[in-house]
């Protein structure tokens, strides 16, 4: 599978969204998320790999790309104004062959809220974090989740899914 970056609008169906929302209500957020340096814990984090969201994401991705996958990390990020990430590549703790990332956006969002996902392509790709949008890209590309602006009174919520294609 060869892909640089793909933006997918309306990633989940309404039924899948209802199911995902039920799963997201489980567990609790911790101020332990970081992009690059574990000493710089800058945003909210919720591990969801041990929920039914794992099955939902696995099935959706496998159907979409037509390949078997293994999800290594599945988690939610929450960022408020002042909680900017850092440029990073995703660390799969394995050789980065056939490794991909999906960033999925969970909330309704206005352009003035900021919080864009930037991916270092040529030129840099900037994606507004719109509801039910997924961004699929090569996990070795540098990227950053920007913080919301001061005009946003809630947090920017996304799900990070790091997976490998089985060849």
């Amino acid at each position: 599978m060869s892909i640089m970056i793909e933006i997918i609008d309306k990633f989940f169906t309404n039924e899948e969204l209802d199911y995902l929302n039920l799963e997201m209500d489980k567990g609790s957020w911790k101020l332990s998320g970081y992009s690059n340096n574990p000493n710089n814990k800058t945003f909210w984090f919720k591990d969801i790999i041990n929920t039914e969201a794992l099955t939902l994401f696995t099935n959706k991705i496998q159907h979409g790309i037509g390949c078997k996958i293994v999800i290594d990390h599945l988690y939610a990020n929450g960022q408020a104004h002042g909680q900017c990430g850092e440029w990073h590549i995703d660390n799969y703790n394995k050789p980065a062959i056939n490794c991909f990332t999906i960033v999925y956006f969970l909330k309704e969002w206005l352009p003035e809220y900021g919080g864009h996902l930037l991916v270092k392509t040529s030129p840099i790709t900037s994606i507004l974090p719109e509801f039910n949008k997924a961004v699929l890209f090569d996990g070795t590309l540098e990227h950053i989740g920007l913080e919301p602006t001061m005009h946003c009174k809630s947090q920017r919520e996304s799900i990070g899914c790091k997976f490998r294609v089985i060849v």
Side-chain angles (χ1 to χ4, degrees), residues 79-105:
Q79 292 170 271
H81 180 65
Q83 295 178 313
C84 195
E86 299 176 48
W87 283 104
H88 66 283
I89 60 170
D90 287 329
N91 180 358
Y92 291 89
N93 299 322
K94 297 169 179 55
I97 300 170
N98 295 317
C99 294
F100 298 90
T101 298
I102 286 184
V103 176
Y104 173 76
F105 299 109

Side-chain angles (χ1 to χ4, degrees), residues 59-122:
N59 292 341
K60 191 70 170 187
I61 295 166
Q62 286 181 161
H63 177 76
I65 66 174
C67 300
K68 292 282 186 190
I69 66 162
V70 173
I71 294 178
D72 293 313
H73 301 284
L74 185 64
Y75 54 91
N77 285 325
Q79 292 170 271
H81 180 65
Q83 295 178 313
C84 195
E86 299 176 48
W87 283 104
H88 66 283
I89 60 170
D90 287 329
N91 180 358
Y92 291 89
N93 299 322
K94 297 169 179 55
I97 300 170
N98 295 317
C99 294
F100 298 90
T101 298
I102 286 184
V103 176
Y104 173 76
F105 299 109
L106 289 163
K107 296 177 94 173
E108 295 290 343
W109 206 253
L110 298 174
E112 59 265 29
Y113 292 169
H116 289 70
L117 171 67
L118 302 180
V119 181
K120 278 194 182 174
T121 53
S122 184

Side-chain angles (χ1 to χ4, degrees), residues 101-166:
T101 298
I102 286 184
V103 176
Y104 173 76
F105 299 109
L106 289 163
K107 296 177 94 173
E108 295 290 343
W109 206 253
L110 298 174
E112 59 265 29
Y113 292 169
H116 289 70
L117 171 67
L118 302 180
V119 181
K120 278 194 182 174
T121 53
S122 184
I124 289 177
T125 303
S126 177
I127 300 108
L128 180 67
E130 296 172 304
F131 173 68
N132 200 17
K133 178 183 282 186
V135 183
L136 168 64
F137 56 94
D138 181 325
T140 63
L141 291 175
E142 281 189 89
H143 57 283
I144 184 172
L146 298 179
E147 66 187 289
T149 67
M150 65 182 187
H151 303 290
C152 182
K153 302 304 178 205
S154 65
Q155 68 178 6
R156 169 195 183 270
E157 293 179 5
S158 62
I159 293 177
C161 178
K162 301 173 186 179
F163 67 94
R164 292 173 285 127
V165 174
I166 300 172

Side-chain angles (χ1 to χ4, degrees), residues 11-78:
F11 186 67
F12 287 121
T13 65
N14 287 338
E15 184 178 295
E16 291 167 330
L17 282 169
D18 290 343
Y19 187 73
L20 180 60
N21 286 331
L22 288 173
E23 289 302 306
M24 288 301 298
D25 286 341
K26 298 175 183 175
S28 60
W29 292 91
K30 296 182 170 115
L31 188 59
S32 63
Y34 60 90
S35 297
N36 201 20
N37 181 347
N39 294 321
N40 294 335
K41 293 179 176 43
T42 58
F43 47 85
W44 296 95
F45 175 85
K46 182 191 281 192
D47 192 359
I48 58 173
I49 193 121
N50 295 317
T51 70
E52 292 301 316
L54 177 65
T55 303
L56 180 65
F57 272 84
T58 300
N59 292 341
K60 191 70 170 187
I61 295 166
Q62 286 181 161
H63 177 76
I65 66 174
C67 300
K68 292 282 186 190
I69 66 162
V70 173
I71 294 178
D72 293 313
H73 301 284
L74 185 64
Y75 54 91
N77 285 325

